[in-house]
């Protein structure tokens, strides 16, 4: 590494923006992979995403809410996540509006039109200040874009793709998912729709999810270079089990990865089936990743009552719209099916919004503004929505085991009874509820809960004694680093990070309209 990359002594650290031809092209995993590869080289690297739209979020140690993808990328970089890594987080509450979280704290609700009509541009200074601070304290900052940089209808107010790259003068690498098809057209079209000034920052391409013989791809890569004047910096092969906590696609995260791969055989005589209700505005569905990592635990997402019939455990996950999700459960017959399960002593677990739905009464003048709404009545809990959001990193004990988690909710729960305390919630019969996200990542607690669930369900399931979720996550991040190290032009990536935007990148007509 040369002197420019080192940020010590006040020098500015290097930077790179990973953009994508589309949403879900692989920006998050490539960013994480580059972070892990650099961290293994001894580089002080950190991730950054100026603006993230996601219902999957995390709470940092200073009590700031950021996207889970950035928290996982921080783990890849082997640094503690902070609000600087994701200064703007948008949490959709409907198709047209989102809660705006600025530097880890909610600052209000805005319509999409209101946000893009002025508020977004006002945040550019905050975003560039955060990036500058990270570059001052790190050797390299690997930025993740959002959607596509060629969304020409949004370019004027962009602060996360070319708007950020222009403001910070950092090179851009564009990732394309070849598994979807049309990757050459996507690379060419993305470049050709950018203005001359934006194109001058696009330094190359990365092909993601390639299957087959890479030599068959090489003629196309050569033609792409001839057409654009830019080289392809790597062809990453398709690999199962390499998703991380991304935005809102159910294909990503460790849970999705485990579902794609060969299911490990059960440690005991039987498997344990877990059905997760895919409620509207589902948030932090990554909570069940740790369950899916257990040998013999089969996790699936469901939206019909009959799909609960053979489930040993039903999970009601978090949601950004508790009252809306409750209505959805009732309309689809899932509420009645869950009530029957509880009456039969069959296990149900509610997490955050799911916990709130299991209670007796919900008073909501904040999120849905629906007033007083009856819950499912399966837990002795009353919930009142407060204007201030609870953001916390609690630790405690449950089922005789230490537990850590994080809280992100407006609902304040008053527990009025139950058979036993359960983290900040309670258990009543076979129904469990808590606000704590991430609790199932505590290995001893997860095993203890699964033993209780198996006993209540009458299953001869035994959790494996040695499953370590943190170790599995580390293995996954190392595999992402391996992909970059083995299949990307790491020398070219280093030059971009160290030396910045190369001179003389040609213009590809027609450019932005």
């Amino acid at each position: 590494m040369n002197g420019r990359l080192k940020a010590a002594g006040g020098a500015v650290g290097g930077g790179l923006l990973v953009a994508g031809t589309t949403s879900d092209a692989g920006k998050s995993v490539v960013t994480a992979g580059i972070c892990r590869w650099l961290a293994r080289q001894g580089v002080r690297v950190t991730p950054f995403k100026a603006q993230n739209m996601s219902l999957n979020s995390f709470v940092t140690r200073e009590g700031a809410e950021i996207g889970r993808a950035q928290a996982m990328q921080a783990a890849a970089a082997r640094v503690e996540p902070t609000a600087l890594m994701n200064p703007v987080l948008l949490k959709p509450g409907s198709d047209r509006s989102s809660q705006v979280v600025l530097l880890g704290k909610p600052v209000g609700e805005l319509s999409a039109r209101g946000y893009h009509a002025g508020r977004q541009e006002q945040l550019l200074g905050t975003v560039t200040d955060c990036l500058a601070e990270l570059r001052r304290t790190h050797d390299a900052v690997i930025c993740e874009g959002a959607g596509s940089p060629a969304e020409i209808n949004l370019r004027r107010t962009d602060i996360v793709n070319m708007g950020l790259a222009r403001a910070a003068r950092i090179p851009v690498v564009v990732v394309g998912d070849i598994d979807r098809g049309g990757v050459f057209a996507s690379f060419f079209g993305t470049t050709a729709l950018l203005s001359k000034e934006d194109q001058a920052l696009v330094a190359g391409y990365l092909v993601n999810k390639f299957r087959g013989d890479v030599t068959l791809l090489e003629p196309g890569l050569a033609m792409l270079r001839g057409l654009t004047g830019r080289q392809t910096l790597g062809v990453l092969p398709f690999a199962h089990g390499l998703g991380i906590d991304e935005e809102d696609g159910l294909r990503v995260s460790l849970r999705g990865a485990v579902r794609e791969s060969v299911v490990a055989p059960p440690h005991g005589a039987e498997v344990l089936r877990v059905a997760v209700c895919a409620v509207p505005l589902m948030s932090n569905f990554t909570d069940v990743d740790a369950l899916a990592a257990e040998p013999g635990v089969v996790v699936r997402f469901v939206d019909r009552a009959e799909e609960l019939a053979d489930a040993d455990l039903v999970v009601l996950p978090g949601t950004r719209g508790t009252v809306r999700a409750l209505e959805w459960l009732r309309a689809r017959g899932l509420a009645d099916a869950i009530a029957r399960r509880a009456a039969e002593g069959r296990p149900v677990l509610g997490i955050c919004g799911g916990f709130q739905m299991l209670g007796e009464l919900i008073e909501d003048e904040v999120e849905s503004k629906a007033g007083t709404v009856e819950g499912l009545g399966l837990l002795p809990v009353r919930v009142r929505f407060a204007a201030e959001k609870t953001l916390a990193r609690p630790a405690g004990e449950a089922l005789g085991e230490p537990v850590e988690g994080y809280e992100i909710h407006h609902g304040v729960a008053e527990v009025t009874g139950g058979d036993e305390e359960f983290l900040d919630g309670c258990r009543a019969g076979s129904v469990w509820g808590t606000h704590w996200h991430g609790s199932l990542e505590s290995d001893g607690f997860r095993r203890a809960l699964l033993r209780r669930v198996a006993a209540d369900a009458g299953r001869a399931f035994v959790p494996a004694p040695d499953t370590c979720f943190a170790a599995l996550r580390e293995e996954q991040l190392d595999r992402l680093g391996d992909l970059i190290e083995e299949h990307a032009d790491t020398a070219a990536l280093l030059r971009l990070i160290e030396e910045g935007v190369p001179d003389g990148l040609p213009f590809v007509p027609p450019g932005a309209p």
Side-chain angles (χ1 to χ4, degrees):
M1 307 292 175
N2 69 27
R4 187 178 189 278
L5 187 58
K6 296 299 179 184
V12 175
L16 181 72
L17 175 67
V18 179
T21 57
T22 61
S23 295
D24 201 25
K27 298 183 293 291
S28 292
V29 295
V30 168
T31 300
I34 294 175
C35 284
R36 176 49 60 99
W37 160 64
L38 287 173
R40 294 195 305 211
Q41 311 307 310
V43 176
R44 293 174 300 170
V45 60
T46 183
F48 179 77
K49 185 161 185 173
Q51 172 193 293
N52 195 354
M53 177 172 282
S54 179
L55 289 171
N56 290 329
S57 58
F58 181 78
V59 179
T60 67
R61 294 205 179 277
E62 76 263 35
E65 185 179 9
I66 66 173
R68 274 198 66 98
Q70 281 60 67
M72 187 65 82
Q73 289 161 356
R78 295 174 176 157
V79 295
E80 187 69 28
T82 72
L84 291 174
M85 298 174 185
N86 181 204
V88 182
L89 173 64
L90 305 178
K91 303 194 72 175
S94 71
D95 292 338
R96 294 178 177 270
S97 68
S98 295
Q99 183 181 68
V100 180
V101 179
L102 180 62
L103 291 173
K105 304 296 180 183
V107 294
E109 295 272 342
L110 273 181
S111 68
R113 180 175 294 276
Y115 183 69
H116 289 288
R119 179 60 168 163
Q120 188 176 31
E121 285 182 286
Q122 297 168 11
L123 295 174
L124 181 59
T126 300
V127 162
T128 54
D129 286 348
C130 290
L131 176 57
E133 176 64 15
L134 290 174
R135 294 182 76 180
R136 187 183 67 81
T137 55
H138 294 79
D139 301 334
V141 181
I142 308 304
C143 308
E144 179 188 343
S148 164
E151 291 168 351
I152 53 179
N153 57 314
L154 303 177
R155 175 60 185 91
R156 183 181 62 82
T157 58
D158 171 50
I159 64 172
V160 64
N161 290 309
M162 303 314 298
L164 176 70
R166 286 267 292 273
R169 292 300 302 171
I170 54 176
V172 178
V173 174
V174 181
V175 178
D177 180 357
I178 197 169
D179 199 46
R180 296 181 173 193
V183 74
F184 293 117
S186 296
F187 282 143
F188 182 86
T190 295
T191 308
L193 275 176
L194 301 179
S195 69
K196 183 176 181 180
E197 294 79 9
D198 285 352
Q199 284 190 29
L201 301 178
V202 176
Y205 310 112
L206 270 171
V207 175
N208 192 30
K209 297 185 182 178
F210 179 71
R211 306 174 192 249
D213 184 352
V214 73
T215 61
L216 299 176
L217 196 64
E218 289 171 354
L221 300 179
M223 287 186 276
L224 181 67
R225 184 166 187 174
L227 288 165
T228 66
R230 291 155 176 85
Q231 69 180 101
T232 298
L233 303 177
V235 178
L236 309 182
F238 188 98
H240 289 287
L242 290 181
I244 65 167
D245 300 357
E246 206 166 344
E247 275 109 25
D248 297 310
L250 290 182
R251 291 187 302 278
V252 301
S253 82
L254 184 60
R255 181 265 313 142
V258 169
R259 186 172 59 174
E260 288 179 353
S261 60
V262 177
V263 177
H267 187 71
E270 294 184 290
V271 300
L272 200 70
R273 296 174 175 84
V274 179
V276 184
C277 294
V279 298
L281 298 175
M282 182 167 50
S283 61
N284 287 54
F285 55 76
T286 48
D287 281 329
V288 299
D289 285 5
L291 294 179
E294 284 283 352
V297 175
V298 180
V299 177
R300 66 182 189 273
F301 286 78
V302 305
D303 59 6
R304 296 183 299 182
E306 55 269 28
E307 293 179 291
L308 304 186
D310 66 343
D312 302 306
L313 171 65
V314 169
V315 177
L316 285 180
T319 173
R320 173 84 163 84
T322 299
V323 170
R324 176 178 167 182
L326 192 56
E327 293 171 348
W328 181 87
L329 288 175
R330 287 178 167 136
R332 301 185 74 88
L334 285 158
D336 290 338
I338 292 169
R340 287 194 297 271
R341 288 184 61 88
E344 295 165 359
R346 302 172 68 195
V348 178
L349 171 64
I351 301 173
C352 199
F355 167 45
Q356 296 165 6
M357 287 185 275
L358 290 170
E360 298 169 341
L361 209 63
I362 298 170
E363 296 179 23
D364 182 12
E365 299 292 349
V366 175
E367 190 175 76
S368 68
K369 298 180 173 58
T372 301
V373 177
E374 286 189 9
L376 297 178
L378 302 180
L379 288 176
V381 174
R382 293 180 170 234
V383 177
R384 176 184 54 82
F385 274 69
E388 184 175 350
K389 181 185 282 190
T390 296
L391 296 169
R393 287 281 294 270
E397 182 178 299
L399 304 179
E401 299 286 347
V403 191
E404 294 184 359
Y406 57 98
E407 295 184 65
I408 306 170
H409 54 90
H410 284 278
V412 179
E414 178 190 0
V415 179
T416 60
D419 298 322
E420 64 177 305
E421 294 182 1
F422 182 62
L423 304 176
D424 68 334
C426 66
R427 176 186 67 84
S430 61
V431 181
W432 311 71
T434 177
H435 272 131
W436 291 22
H437 294 291
S439 62
L440 294 169
E441 295 180 21
S442 298
D443 297 325
F445 165 72
R446 181 181 65 253
R447 287 192 279 269
L449 180 64
L450 288 175
R451 283 192 290 270
R452 291 282 294 267
V453 167
D456 287 347
R459 289 284 184 192
F461 169 85
V462 179
D466 55 356
T467 302
C468 176
F469 185 75
L472 290 172
R473 185 163 51 191
E474 274 297 297
E475 290 174 13
Q476 188 183 39
L477 293 172
D478 273 331
R479 291 179 65 199
L480 289 175
D482 293 343
L483 270 187
I484 298 299
E485 187 169 346
E486 297 168 9
H487 300 281
D489 186 342
T490 53
L493 289 174
L494 276 179
R495 282 195 300 273
L496 290 175
I497 296 169
E498 293 178 341
E499 301 171 11
V501 183
D503 295 327
L505 291 170
F507 173 68
V508 179

